[in-house]
Protein backbone atom coordinates (compact mmCIF):
# COMPACT_ATOMS: atom_id res chain seq x y z
CA UNK A 1 0.00 0.00 0.00
CA UNK A 2 1.03 3.61 -0.33
CA UNK A 3 2.79 5.66 2.35
CA UNK A 4 1.08 8.42 4.32
CA UNK A 5 2.91 11.76 4.35
CA UNK A 6 3.53 12.25 8.07
CA UNK A 7 7.03 13.73 8.36
CA UNK A 8 6.67 17.06 6.54
CA UNK A 9 10.37 17.89 6.52
CA UNK A 10 11.30 14.46 5.17
CA UNK A 11 8.73 14.76 2.42
CA UNK A 12 9.98 18.22 1.44
CA UNK A 13 13.51 16.87 1.11
CA UNK A 14 12.36 13.89 -0.95
CA UNK A 15 10.29 16.01 -3.30
CA UNK A 16 12.98 18.70 -3.70
CA UNK A 17 15.60 16.09 -4.55
CA UNK A 18 13.36 14.43 -7.12
CA UNK A 19 12.32 17.68 -8.77
CA UNK A 20 15.92 18.91 -8.90
CA UNK A 21 16.90 15.65 -10.59
CA UNK A 22 14.39 16.36 -13.38
CA UNK A 23 15.82 19.86 -13.80
CA UNK A 24 19.36 18.49 -13.86
CA UNK A 25 18.49 15.82 -16.42
CA UNK A 26 16.70 18.22 -18.79
CA UNK A 27 18.65 21.51 -19.05
CA UNK A 28 16.19 23.15 -21.48
CA UNK A 29 13.36 22.49 -19.04
CA UNK A 30 15.51 23.88 -16.22
CA UNK A 31 16.05 27.10 -18.15
CA UNK A 32 12.32 27.34 -18.90
CA UNK A 33 11.45 26.85 -15.22
CA UNK A 34 13.91 29.52 -14.09
CA UNK A 35 12.33 32.00 -16.49
CA UNK A 36 8.83 30.98 -15.41
CA UNK A 37 9.61 31.47 -11.72
CA UNK A 38 10.83 35.02 -12.34
CA UNK A 39 7.29 36.17 -13.05
CA UNK A 40 5.07 33.37 -11.76
CA UNK A 41 4.63 30.41 -9.45
CA UNK A 42 4.47 26.72 -10.31
CA UNK A 43 2.61 23.97 -8.49
CA UNK A 44 3.25 20.27 -9.08
CA UNK A 45 0.15 18.12 -8.55
CA UNK A 46 -0.79 14.45 -8.42
CA UNK A 47 1.37 11.51 -9.41
CA UNK A 48 4.86 13.02 -9.34
CA UNK A 49 4.22 14.26 -5.80
CA UNK A 50 2.79 10.90 -4.76
CA UNK A 51 5.75 9.03 -6.28
CA UNK A 52 8.16 11.15 -4.23
CA UNK A 53 6.96 9.74 -0.91
CA UNK A 54 6.54 6.21 -2.27
CA UNK A 55 9.95 5.99 -3.98
CA UNK A 56 8.41 5.16 -7.36
CA UNK A 57 9.73 6.15 -10.75
CA UNK A 58 7.71 8.91 -12.40
CA UNK A 59 6.91 8.85 -16.10
CA UNK A 60 5.56 12.39 -16.24
CA UNK A 61 4.88 15.52 -14.26
CA UNK A 62 1.69 17.59 -13.96
CA UNK A 63 1.97 21.28 -13.19
CA UNK A 64 -0.31 24.28 -12.71
CA UNK A 65 1.25 27.73 -13.10
CA UNK A 66 0.09 31.21 -12.12
CA UNK A 67 0.89 32.70 -15.55
CA UNK A 68 -1.85 33.37 -18.10
CA UNK A 69 -2.08 30.92 -21.01
CA UNK A 70 -0.77 33.61 -23.37
CA UNK A 71 2.27 34.38 -21.21
CA UNK A 72 2.95 30.68 -20.70
CA UNK A 73 2.70 30.02 -24.44
CA UNK A 74 5.05 32.92 -25.20
CA UNK A 75 7.56 31.68 -22.65
CA UNK A 76 7.53 28.24 -24.24
CA UNK A 77 7.98 29.70 -27.73
CA UNK A 78 11.10 31.47 -26.50
CA UNK A 79 12.51 28.19 -25.17
CA UNK A 80 14.03 25.26 -27.04
CA UNK A 81 11.36 22.88 -25.75
CA UNK A 82 9.07 20.77 -27.94
CA UNK A 83 5.46 21.22 -26.92
CA UNK A 84 1.86 20.91 -28.11
CA UNK A 85 -1.44 22.45 -26.99
CA UNK A 86 -4.67 20.46 -26.77
CA UNK A 87 -8.20 21.73 -27.43
CA UNK A 88 -8.71 22.54 -23.72
CA UNK A 89 -5.49 24.64 -23.71
CA UNK A 90 -3.47 22.13 -21.75
CA UNK A 91 0.19 22.15 -22.78
CA UNK A 92 2.31 18.99 -23.12
CA UNK A 93 6.10 19.32 -23.13
CA UNK A 94 7.97 16.36 -24.64
CA UNK A 95 11.37 15.96 -23.02
CA UNK A 96 12.12 12.69 -24.79
CA UNK A 97 11.01 9.83 -22.58
CA UNK A 98 9.50 12.15 -20.00
CA UNK A 99 6.47 14.43 -20.39
CA UNK A 100 5.35 17.54 -18.53
CA UNK A 101 1.69 18.60 -18.66
CA UNK A 102 1.22 22.27 -17.80
CA UNK A 103 -1.93 24.28 -17.30
CA UNK A 104 -2.38 27.95 -16.68
CA UNK A 105 -4.36 28.18 -13.46
CA UNK A 106 -7.00 30.16 -15.37
CA UNK A 107 -7.56 27.19 -17.70
CA UNK A 108 -7.60 24.48 -15.06
CA UNK A 109 -11.14 23.13 -15.38
CA UNK A 110 -11.98 23.41 -11.68
CA UNK A 111 -11.15 27.14 -11.59
CA UNK A 112 -12.24 27.95 -15.13
CA UNK A 113 -15.72 26.60 -14.50
CA UNK A 114 -15.84 28.03 -10.96
CA UNK A 115 -16.45 24.65 -9.37
CA UNK A 116 -13.77 25.54 -6.80
CA UNK A 117 -13.52 29.06 -5.43
CA UNK A 118 -10.08 30.59 -5.90
CA UNK A 119 -8.45 32.55 -3.09
CA UNK A 120 -4.79 33.47 -3.50
CA UNK A 121 -4.27 33.32 0.28
CA UNK A 122 -5.29 29.64 0.24
CA UNK A 123 -4.19 28.66 -3.24
CA UNK A 124 -2.54 25.37 -2.16
CA UNK A 125 -5.80 24.29 -0.54
CA UNK A 126 -7.75 25.48 -3.59
CA UNK A 127 -5.63 23.46 -6.02
CA UNK A 128 -5.75 20.38 -3.81
CA UNK A 129 -9.53 20.71 -3.44
CA UNK A 130 -9.80 21.01 -7.23
CA UNK A 131 -8.34 17.54 -7.80
CA UNK A 132 -11.08 15.06 -8.63
CA UNK A 133 -10.17 11.97 -6.61
CA UNK A 134 -8.63 12.04 -3.13
CA UNK A 135 -5.90 9.73 -4.47
CA UNK A 136 -4.63 12.62 -6.60
CA UNK A 137 -5.13 15.38 -4.04
CA UNK A 138 -1.51 16.45 -3.55
CA UNK A 139 0.13 19.73 -4.51
CA UNK A 140 3.57 21.29 -3.94
CA UNK A 141 4.69 24.88 -4.54
CA UNK A 142 8.06 24.29 -6.24
CA UNK A 143 9.39 27.68 -5.11
CA UNK A 144 8.57 27.49 -1.39
CA UNK A 145 8.27 23.67 -1.12
CA UNK A 146 5.04 24.14 0.86
CA UNK A 147 2.46 21.47 0.13
CA UNK A 148 -0.95 19.97 0.89
CA UNK A 149 -1.58 16.24 1.20
CA UNK A 150 -4.65 15.84 3.43
CA UNK A 151 -6.87 14.33 0.73
CA UNK A 152 -4.23 11.82 -0.34
CA UNK A 153 -3.56 10.92 3.30
CA UNK A 154 -7.28 10.23 3.74
CA UNK A 155 -7.16 7.85 0.76
CA UNK A 156 -4.24 5.90 2.23
CA UNK A 157 -5.48 5.92 5.81
CA UNK A 158 -9.06 4.87 5.01
CA UNK A 159 -8.24 2.76 1.93
CA UNK A 160 -11.22 4.37 0.24
CA UNK A 161 -11.49 6.20 -3.07
CA UNK A 162 -13.68 9.28 -2.93
CA UNK A 163 -14.45 12.38 -4.96
CA UNK A 164 -13.16 15.42 -3.09
CA UNK A 165 -16.01 17.78 -3.97
CA UNK A 166 -19.51 16.56 -3.25
CA UNK A 167 -21.56 18.96 -5.38
CA UNK A 168 -23.36 17.57 -8.45
CA UNK A 169 -22.18 20.55 -10.49
CA UNK A 170 -18.54 19.66 -9.79
CA UNK A 171 -19.02 16.08 -10.95
CA UNK A 172 -20.97 17.03 -14.07
CA UNK A 173 -18.38 19.58 -15.18
CA UNK A 174 -15.44 17.16 -15.08
CA UNK A 175 -14.67 16.50 -18.77
CA UNK A 176 -12.82 13.16 -18.50
CA UNK A 177 -15.55 10.71 -17.54
CA UNK A 178 -14.13 7.62 -19.29
CA UNK A 179 -10.71 8.16 -17.74
CA UNK A 180 -12.31 8.72 -14.32
CA UNK A 181 -14.20 5.42 -14.56
CA UNK A 182 -11.14 3.44 -15.62
CA UNK A 183 -9.04 5.09 -12.91
CA UNK A 184 -11.50 4.05 -10.21
CA UNK A 185 -11.59 0.46 -11.47
CA UNK A 186 -7.79 0.37 -11.67
CA UNK A 187 -7.32 1.72 -8.13
CA UNK A 188 -9.86 -0.71 -6.72
CA UNK A 189 -8.12 -3.63 -8.45
CA UNK A 190 -4.49 -2.63 -7.91
CA UNK A 191 -4.69 -1.34 -4.33
CA UNK A 192 -7.80 -3.16 -3.15
CA UNK A 193 -9.38 0.07 -1.95
CA UNK A 194 -13.09 0.50 -1.35
CA UNK A 195 -15.28 2.87 -3.33
CA UNK A 196 -17.11 5.45 -1.23
CA UNK A 197 -20.89 5.78 -1.83
CA UNK A 198 -20.45 9.29 -3.22
CA UNK A 199 -17.96 7.96 -5.77
CA UNK A 200 -19.98 4.82 -6.56
CA UNK A 201 -23.04 6.90 -7.38
CA UNK A 202 -20.95 9.01 -9.76
CA UNK A 203 -19.54 5.94 -11.51
CA UNK A 204 -23.02 4.53 -12.04
CA UNK A 205 -24.13 7.77 -13.69
CA UNK A 206 -21.00 7.86 -15.84
CA UNK A 207 -21.66 4.35 -17.15
CA UNK A 208 -25.20 5.36 -18.07
CA UNK A 209 -23.94 8.54 -19.73
CA UNK A 210 -21.43 6.63 -21.83
CA UNK A 211 -24.09 4.08 -22.74
CA UNK A 212 -26.41 6.83 -23.98
CA UNK A 213 -23.92 7.72 -26.71
CA UNK A 214 -21.72 4.66 -27.35
CA UNK A 215 -21.35 0.96 -26.90
CA UNK A 216 -19.86 0.95 -23.39
CA UNK A 217 -17.35 -1.86 -23.99
CA UNK A 218 -16.10 -0.40 -27.27
CA UNK A 219 -15.76 3.06 -25.77
CA UNK A 220 -13.91 1.92 -22.66
CA UNK A 221 -11.63 -0.33 -24.70
CA UNK A 222 -10.53 2.72 -26.71
CA UNK A 223 -9.59 4.52 -23.50
CA UNK A 224 -8.02 1.45 -21.91
CA UNK A 225 -5.63 1.23 -24.86
CA UNK A 226 -4.48 4.79 -24.12
CA UNK A 227 -3.19 3.91 -20.65
CA UNK A 228 -0.38 1.34 -20.51
CA UNK A 229 -0.43 1.38 -16.70
CA UNK A 230 -4.08 0.31 -16.65
CA UNK A 231 -3.62 -2.29 -19.39
CA UNK A 232 -0.95 -4.06 -17.33
CA UNK A 233 -3.53 -4.69 -14.60
CA UNK A 234 -6.89 -4.76 -16.39
CA UNK A 235 -8.33 -6.48 -19.43
CA UNK A 236 -11.45 -5.12 -21.06
CA UNK A 237 -13.24 -8.18 -19.63
CA UNK A 238 -12.14 -7.16 -16.12
CA UNK A 239 -13.40 -3.65 -16.76
CA UNK A 240 -16.78 -4.82 -17.99
CA UNK A 241 -17.18 -7.23 -15.05
CA UNK A 242 -16.75 -4.27 -12.70
CA UNK A 243 -19.04 -2.09 -14.80
CA UNK A 244 -21.78 -4.71 -14.47
CA UNK A 245 -21.14 -4.94 -10.73
CA UNK A 246 -21.49 -1.18 -10.32
CA UNK A 247 -24.81 -1.30 -12.16
CA UNK A 248 -25.94 -4.22 -9.99
CA UNK A 249 -25.14 -2.34 -6.79
CA UNK A 250 -27.32 0.53 -7.82
CA UNK A 251 -30.13 -1.68 -9.10
CA UNK A 252 -30.26 -3.77 -5.94
CA UNK A 253 -31.39 -1.99 -2.81
CA UNK A 254 -29.83 -4.53 -0.45
CA UNK A 255 -26.47 -4.22 -2.22
CA UNK A 256 -26.55 -0.45 -1.72
CA UNK A 257 -26.25 -0.99 2.03
CA UNK A 258 -22.87 -2.62 1.45
CA UNK A 259 -21.30 0.10 -0.71
CA UNK A 260 -18.57 0.87 1.79
CA UNK A 261 -17.33 -2.74 1.79
CA UNK A 262 -15.92 -2.41 -1.73
CA UNK A 263 -16.24 -4.64 -4.75
CA UNK A 264 -14.30 -7.65 -3.49
CA UNK A 265 -16.18 -8.24 -0.26
CA UNK A 266 -19.52 -7.61 -1.94
CA UNK A 267 -18.78 -10.39 -4.41
CA UNK A 268 -17.78 -12.75 -1.61
CA UNK A 269 -21.01 -11.98 0.27
Amino acid sequence: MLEIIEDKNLFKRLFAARFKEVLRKYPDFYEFMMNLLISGTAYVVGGFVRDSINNKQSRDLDMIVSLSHTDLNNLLKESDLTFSINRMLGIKIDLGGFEVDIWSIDNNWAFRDSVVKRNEDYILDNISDGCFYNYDGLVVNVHSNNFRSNHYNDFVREKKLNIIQKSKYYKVKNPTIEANLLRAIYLNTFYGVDIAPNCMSYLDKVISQIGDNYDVQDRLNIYLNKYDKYKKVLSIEDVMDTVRLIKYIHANREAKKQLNFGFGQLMED
Side-chain angles (χ1 to χ4, degrees), residues 93-251:
I93 299 174
D94 184 358
L95 298 177
F98 190 84
E99 293 181 343
V100 180
D101 290 312
I102 301 186
W103 294 84
S104 164
I105 197 167
D106 296 328
N107 289 322
N108 175 266
W109 75 274
F111 296 118
R112 182 193 63 222
D113 296 334
S114 300
V115 295
V116 174
K117 292 183 178 180
R118 180 174 161 187
N119 183 328
E120 295 302 327
D121 293 331
Y122 301 97
I123 195 64
L124 281 173
D125 297 293
N126 296 161
I127 294 173
S128 178
D129 290 346
C131 297
F132 195 69
Y133 287 133
N134 55 354
Y135 173 73
D136 298 306
L138 306 104
V139 55
V140 179
N141 181 325
V142 301
H143 201 168
S144 67
N145 231 15
N146 291 330
F147 70 95
R148 294 291 183 274
S149 62
N150 52 306
H151 296 304
Y152 162 79
N153 280 348
D154 287 343
F155 171 86
V156 178
R157 188 180 295 110
E158 299 171 8
K159 295 193 66 177
K160 185 176 293 185
L161 182 68
N162 210 341
I163 298 171
I164 293 173
Q165 298 288 331
K166 301 301 185 287
S167 74
K168 292 181 180 179
Y169 179 71
Y170 174 85
K171 298 170 190 173
V172 168
K173 294 298 289 186
N174 188 291
T176 57
I177 61 172
E178 292 91 352
N180 291 343
L181 175 58
L182 286 176
R183 191 162 185 77
I185 294 172
Y186 165 79
L187 292 172
N188 170 260
T189 303
F190 190 74
Y191 290 114
V193 296
D194 297 335
I195 307 296
N198 170 56
C199 184
M200 187 73 80
S201 178
Y202 166 79
L203 297 177
D204 176 70
K205 289 181 173 64
V206 161
I207 294 166
S208 297
Q209 184 177 342
I210 295 170
D212 288 342
N213 299 286
Y214 309 97
D215 178 89
V216 174
Q217 179 166 325
D218 289 346
R219 183 69 172 176
L220 292 180
N221 196 39
I222 290 171
Y223 276 79
L224 183 62
N225 286 322
K226 293 181 179 181
Y227 297 95
D228 289 339
K229 180 171 68 173
Y230 298 168
K231 284 198 67 176
K232 290 178 181 178
V233 176
L234 300 169
S235 67
I236 189 58
E237 290 77 20
D238 296 328
V239 170
M240 292 309 299
D241 283 346
T242 304
V243 164
R244 285 187 284 270
L245 184 53
I246 292 171
K247 299 304 294 182
Y248 168 78
I249 288 172
H250 277 263

Side-chain angles (χ1 to χ4, degrees), residues 15-45:
F15 174 83
R18 181 169 289 224
F19 190 71
K20 287 178 181 176
E21 176 61 20
V22 172
L23 298 178
R24 183 200 65 77
K25 189 173 181 179
Y26 304 104
D28 290 339
F29 181 63
Y30 170 80
E31 182 177 352
F32 162 76
M33 285 301 304
M34 294 304 102
N35 289 330
L36 186 155
L37 292 174
I38 290 173
S39 53
T41 308
Y43 306 91
V44 176
V45 297

